[in-house]
Amino acid sequence: MQAMMKKIIFQGIVIILSFLIVWFAFSQLDFMRFFKVEERTAKVENKLGDLIWDEIGKSNEVITNDSIVKTLDKLLKPICDKNNINRDSLKVHIIQKDEINAFALPNNYLVVYTGLIMDCKKQEALQGVLGHEIAHIEYHHVMKKLSKEIGFSVLLSATTGGKGGEILKEVFKTISSSAYDRTLEKEADLASVDYMLKANIDPKPMADFMYQMAQDSQSSENLYWISSHPESEERAKYILEYIKGKKLKSKKTLPEQEWETFQKQVKNLE
C-alpha cells in the first residue's frame, strides 16, 4: 500500500514537472514572431498604403511646389525632432482640394488638403492637426481601425488582386470620412498636445480650431476633418483641461510673415 502511494505521488510530481517544463518552454516563444503574424501584417499594411496612395495620386492634383512643400516640412520638423519621430519615415503629401481635411494612411502616409492649410488661422492649429494624424500613425491606429471595420482578411485580399479596386475605394472612404472610436481619438489628441508641448508649440490654437470647426460645421459642407472627428467642442474642452497648469514655453516655428506667405502661396494655387 505504501509502495503504491509512493508510485502515485511520484507520477503526480512527474506530471506537474512535465507541465511546468512545457509551460516554461512555450512562455519563452514570441508567438507573433513564431507564426510571422507581425511580419505578415506589416507587409499587408505597407502594400495597402502604397496602393491607396497610388489611387489618390492618380485622381487628385498633388502639390509639388518646392516652397510650399518645404514650408509644410518646417512646421513638421520640430514636432518630429523633439519627439524622436523619424521624419524620413513619414510620407507627407499635399493635395489641392477645398475640403478641410488631413488623414493618415497605412504605411506612414500623411495626406494634407490645401483647404485645411487655408482654414487654419494660426500655424499652431495646423501643427496640432498634423500632430494628431502623426499620432494615429505612431500608435498604429490606422490598421486597428481598418481591421475592425473592414476586416484583416478583406484588406489582405485587396493587396493580392481580385476585387482590390473596390476594396481600396472602401478603405479610402473609411479612412478619410469616418471617425476613429473616441478612445483612439482622445489618445491622438492628447499625444498631439504632448508633441507640441515638447516642441515648445502652444497647443491652445488647436483647441480654438476645434471650437471654430464646431461653430462652422452646420454651415459648411467641406469640413471633412471635423465630420470625421465628431464631438469637436468636447475635445477642445479636454485639451484645454489637459494643459491647465502646465508651463507653456511657446515659440512660433515660422515668422508670422512666412506663415502668411505660405497661406498666400497655397491660395494662389486655385
Side-chain angles (χ1 to χ4, degrees):
M1 185 69 178
Q2 192 174 6
M4 179 72 72
M5 285 298 295
K6 285 183 178 179
K7 185 177 180 182
I8 292 171
I9 292 170
F10 177 75
Q11 288 175 337
I13 292 172
V14 170
I15 291 170
I16 292 170
L17 285 173
S18 299
F19 171 78
L20 290 172
I21 290 169
V22 171
W23 175 83
F24 179 77
F26 274 89
S27 70
Q28 300 307 301
L29 290 174
D30 182 341
F31 280 99
M32 290 294 282
R33 187 169 296 175
F34 186 74
F35 292 111
K36 296 188 177 180
V37 173
E38 194 172 313
E39 183 181 341
R40 184 187 182 201
T41 303
K43 285 182 179 178
V44 171
E45 180 175 355
N46 293 347
K47 183 76 179 290
L48 190 63
D50 292 343
L51 288 171
I52 298 170
W53 170 248
D54 285 345
E55 289 298 316
I56 295 173
K58 288 175 189 173
S59 56
N60 291 278
E61 186 173 348
V62 182
I63 304 304
T64 56
N65 178 292
D66 196 51
S67 177
I68 292 174
V69 171
K70 284 184 176 178
T71 303
L72 185 70
D73 195 60
K74 284 183 184 179
L75 293 170
L76 281 167
K77 192 175 186 305
I79 295 173
C80 294
D81 287 352
K82 298 298 183 180
N83 292 280
N84 297 317
I85 296 167
N86 184 355
R87 169 63 188 88
D88 291 338
S89 71
L90 298 174
K91 304 173 180 74
V92 183
H93 298 283
I94 306 171
I95 296 289
Q96 185 170 348
K97 213 161 191 176
D98 289 338
E99 295 170 8
I100 300 166
N101 206 4
F103 51 87
L105 297 174
N107 197 17
N108 294 2
Y109 283 95
L110 174 55
V111 181
V112 183
Y113 285 175
T114 54
L116 173 68
I117 296 172
M118 290 305 305
D119 201 64
C120 289
K121 291 182 172 63
K122 295 185 177 181
Q123 59 185 278
E124 295 91 343
L126 178 57
Q127 287 173 302
V129 174
L130 295 175
H132 175 97
E133 297 304 330
I134 290 171
H136 280 320
I137 293 171
E138 290 289 299
Y139 287 80
H140 306 289
H141 290 172
V142 185
M143 285 302 289
K144 285 178 184 177
K145 173 184 171 69
L146 291 176
S147 296
K148 179 181 178 181
E149 296 187 17
I150 295 178
F152 185 79
S153 60
V154 177
L155 298 175
L156 177 61
S157 69
T159 65
T160 55
K163 297 182 178 180
E166 294 175 23
I167 296 169
L168 289 176
K169 288 178 184 176
E170 183 63 27
V171 169
F172 174 61
K173 182 180 176 183
T174 300
I175 289 174
S176 63
S177 61
S178 68
Y180 292 82
D181 67 46
R182 287 189 179 189
T183 303
L184 298 186
E185 288 294 8
K186 187 169 185 177
E187 186 174 35
D189 281 338
L190 298 185
S192 180
V193 172
D194 285 335
Y195 293 158
M196 296 172 81
L197 290 172
K198 287 181 182 176
N200 291 331
I201 300 168
D202 185 0
K204 284 185 286 188
M206 178 185 177
D208 293 339
F209 177 70
M210 289 184 180
Y211 273 124
Q212 170 200 326
M213 296 283 272
Q215 307 267 325
D216 296 344
S217 61
Q218 295 181 358
S219 59
S220 176
E221 297 177 356
N222 289 327
L223 300 175
Y224 280 75
W225 195 79
I226 214 66
S227 66
S228 64
H229 298 69
E231 314 298 339
S232 55
E233 191 168 335
E234 176 190 327
R235 292 166 64 204
K237 287 177 181 176
Y238 68 60
I239 287 172
L240 292 175
E241 185 65 30
Y242 185 72
I243 62 176
K244 189 184 291 183
K246 288 182 168 62
K247 291 183 178 179
L248 303 178
K249 298 178 181 177
S250 61
K251 179 182 178 183
K252 288 189 179 295
T253 302
L254 302 177
E256 199 58 38
Q257 187 174 355
E258 187 175 356
W259 165 248
E260 290 172 4
T261 300
F262 175 55
Q263 287 194 307
K264 284 177 184 175
Q265 288 176 320
V266 172
K267 183 177 176 59
N268 289 338
L269 293 171
E270 298 174 357

